Amino acid sequence: MSLVSIILPTYNRINFLPSAFTSLLQQTHQDWELIIVDDGSDDGSEAVIAEYQSKLAQPCLYIKQENAGPAKARNTGILKAKGDYV
């Protein structure tokens, strides 16, 4: 089975994160890794991410960077991806 890298860029999206993690936890394909790139959130996103990270069986990398925009966040995640597919 091929590894899929999921890039989740986020910036002050604390209200969106629970539904994003719920979707991930319901996936039937189990060979994936999650790379979360926090683009400088200041809304408490980090605590929500930490709570959901503990529920994942798959690898999850959390990266926090200074706010540089969505393209930079996605590119940061892609550079860290190990999957056959992104």
Side-chain angles (χ1 to χ4, degrees):
M1 197 175 280
S2 297
L3 178 66
V4 176
S5 295
I6 301 167
I7 313 298
L8 178 62
T10 187
Y11 174 71
N12 288 340
R13 299 295 306 256
I14 194 169
N15 295 327
F16 166 76
L17 290 169
S19 64
F21 277 102
T22 298
S23 176
L24 289 168
L25 291 167
Q26 294 175 346
Q27 295 302 308
T28 56
H29 182 84
Q30 294 299 309
D31 196 12
W32 53 268
E33 66 173 351
L34 175 62
I35 302 164
I36 304 166
V37 183
D38 185 340
D39 197 36
S41 295
D42 59 7
D43 66 347
S45 291
E46 191 168 356
V48 172
I49 291 166
E51 176 187 338
Y52 278 97
Q53 273 183 304
S54 66
K55 298 176 183 179
L56 296 175
Q58 292 79 4
C60 180
L61 175 62
Y62 174 73
I63 302 167
K64 185 155 188 175
Q65 64 184 26
E66 287 188 34
N67 184 263
K72 175 70 174 169
R74 287 183 188 98
N75 288 336
T76 297
I78 289 168
L79 289 174
K80 297 293 184 177
K82 297 177 184 170
D84 302 308
Y85 301 99
V86 178

